[in-house]
Amino acid sequence: MSDELANPNTWQYVCYSLPVIIPLSVFMFNKCCSNKYNTLKSKVVLITGASSGLGETLAHEFYSHGCALILTGRNPTELERVKSDLLSRNDVKNVNKPCTLVLDLIDQSTIEVVSQKVLGVFGRVDILINNAGISYRGRADATTAEVDYKVMLVNYFGQVALTKALLPSMIHHKSGHIVAISSVQGKIAVPFRSAYTASKHALQAFFDTLRAEISHHKVKVTVVSPGYIQTNLSLNALTGSGSKYGIMDESTMAGYSAEYVAQQIVEAVVDDEQEVIIAPLYARLAIGLRYIWPRLYFWIMKYRANRYTSQKM
Ligand SMILES: NC(=O)c1ccc[n+]([C@@H]2O[C@H](COP(=O)([O-])OP(=O)(O)OC[C@H]3O[C@@H](n4cnc5c(N)ncnc54)[C@H](OP(=O)(O)O)[C@@H]3O)[C@@H](O)[C@H]2O)c1
Ligand SMILES: *[C@@H]1O[C@H](CO)[C@@H](O)[C@H](O)[C@H]1NC(C)=O
């Protein structure tokens, strides 16, 4: 008799708790079993400038999600180092061995040939990360035309040529994702960075145009605009005369870690973001200010330029 009473009671409790149990188990199942990064598994990812800094860190990030990597840069020794670092990671199981290819983006005539080699490796490129870049420090009026061309060749024409060389294959496969690593300086111009900021503005404009033109082919475009990142970018920057700047800027050193930025970029790719700004609040405000109140923005930039000039930048 007491058992007969207990049974319906137990069932009642179970019924009442179902509205809690069902969503909770769905939530737990989602957390454990459906990882959005699983879509990256065995995707072929080409990274330019993979020999150091953000490109190298991006290689580790994509590799850890099971991607098949093609790493490019000018320096074969550094590319091999990155490759062996990846292969020696025992926290990651990835059956796809990374491949390295030398590609100098200044040498426009080789881009087409290298692209054919790239397509030969895994038969396609799913994600192209246009990351290679070179920075610049100097006064516009004291900068040689050669430096202006060089920065533009690496940061703009090189990316554009590589993208155009790989695009037909993406269109043919009706899938693909092109990522352009621009900069906050692709959105706002700051003094003593004329060639760099111009190249990044150009990059933004080109890829905004391309995004619209190729969307019906199911090829996606993400433009990434980071603030300062802790890399050797300023050490490798060119001066107005074309020599190496060779100084680690304080702003660069105080920037985001390359790991943080790389994680944000991979997430933006997985989430199909069309554009992402990875920068602190002051940089975001400056971007807004440039459009909402240009007079104030220009005043601040003049102030900044004069302050630097008095310090003999
Ligand atoms: N660090 C920052 O504060 C910051 C902020 C915003 C945006 N970014 C952007 O992030 C990207 C990566 O830069 P990073 O900060 O990682 O600097 P980095 O450590 O100097 O890396 C630059 C990469 O570009 C490659 N590269 C340079 N010239 C090249 C050329 N002619 N052809 C092919 N590859 C070339 C270099 O490889 P090789 O020497 O082997 O060629 C290197 O791997 C750049 O596009 C940069 O503009 C950086
Ligand atoms: C910067 O360059 C030095 C010397 O070439 C190298 O040891 C270091 O790993 C580089 N840093 C990054 C973040 O690429």
Side-chain angles (χ1 to χ4, degrees), residues 3 24-25 27 33-34 48 84 88 132 148 156 161 197 200 202 231 258 260 275 277 299:
D3 270 351
L24 195 72
S25 24
F27 175 78
C33 312
S34 80
T48 66
S84 67
S88 65
D148 286 330
Y156 178 69
T197 197
K200 294 296 190 182
T231 68
Y260 172 74
E275 145 160 301
I277 299 173
W299 183 86

Side-chain angles (χ1 to χ4, degrees), residues 255-283:
Y256 289 127
S257 73
E259 285 74 20
Y260 172 74
V261 177
Q263 280 162 10
Q264 297 291 307
I265 293 170
V266 173
E267 184 165 17
V269 169
V270 171
D271 291 346
D272 285 343
E273 298 284 357
Q274 305 185 79
E275 145 160 301
V276 51
I277 299 173
I278 308 166
L281 185 66
Y282 79 88

Side-chain angles (χ1 to χ4, degrees), residues 70-100:
I70 304 171
L71 311 173
T72 73
R74 285 169 306 174
N75 188 327
T77 323
E78 286 302 301
L79 289 173
E80 282 310 313
R81 178 188 59 78
V82 175
K83 179 180 170 176
S84 67
D85 284 353
L86 291 170
L87 289 173
S88 65
R89 281 183 65 166
N90 41 33
D91 60 326
V92 176
K93 265 208 199 104
N94 187 338
V95 291
N96 306 294
K97 226 175 138 189
C99 154
T100 64

Side-chain angles (χ1 to χ4, degrees), residues 52-53 230-232:
S52 76
Q230 294 162 7
T231 68
N232 286 344

Side-chain angles (χ1 to χ4, degrees), residues 39 106 109 117 166 195-196 209 218 234 251 257 296-297 309-310:
T39 56
I106 285 185
S109 60
K117 272 196 210 164
L166 294 173
Y196 182 75
T209 305
K218 308 270 179 272
S234 73
S251 46
S257 73
L296 178 60
Y297 178 81
T309 316
S310 64

Side-chain angles (χ1 to χ4, degrees), residues 39-47 66-70 96 99 101 115-128 165-177:
T39 56
L40 286 176
K41 204 160 176 214
S42 291
K43 285 268 155 63
V44 179
V45 183
L46 167 61
I47 304 173
C67 296
L69 299 183
I70 304 171
N96 306 294
C99 154
L101 280 174
S115 301
Q116 291 316 309
K117 272 196 210 164
V118 160
L119 289 173
V121 181
F122 298 109
R124 61 180 204 282
V125 170
D126 296 307
I127 305 172
L128 163 62
L166 294 173
L167 197 52
S169 156
M170 288 185 172
I171 290 175
H172 175 76
H173 287 107
K174 282 213 155 298
S175 85
H177 200 137

Side-chain angles (χ1 to χ4, degrees), residues 49-55 73-75 103-106 131-134 154-155 181-184 196 200 226-233 236 252:
S51 51
S52 76
L54 182 61
R74 285 169 306 174
N75 188 327
L103 172 62
D104 185 344
L105 290 170
I106 285 185
N131 162 78
I134 189 156
V154 181
N155 294 1
I181 307 297
S182 180
S183 164
V184 164
Y196 182 75
K200 294 296 190 182
Y228 294 112
I229 317 166
Q230 294 162 7
T231 68
N232 286 344
L233 188 73
N236 298 329
T252 307

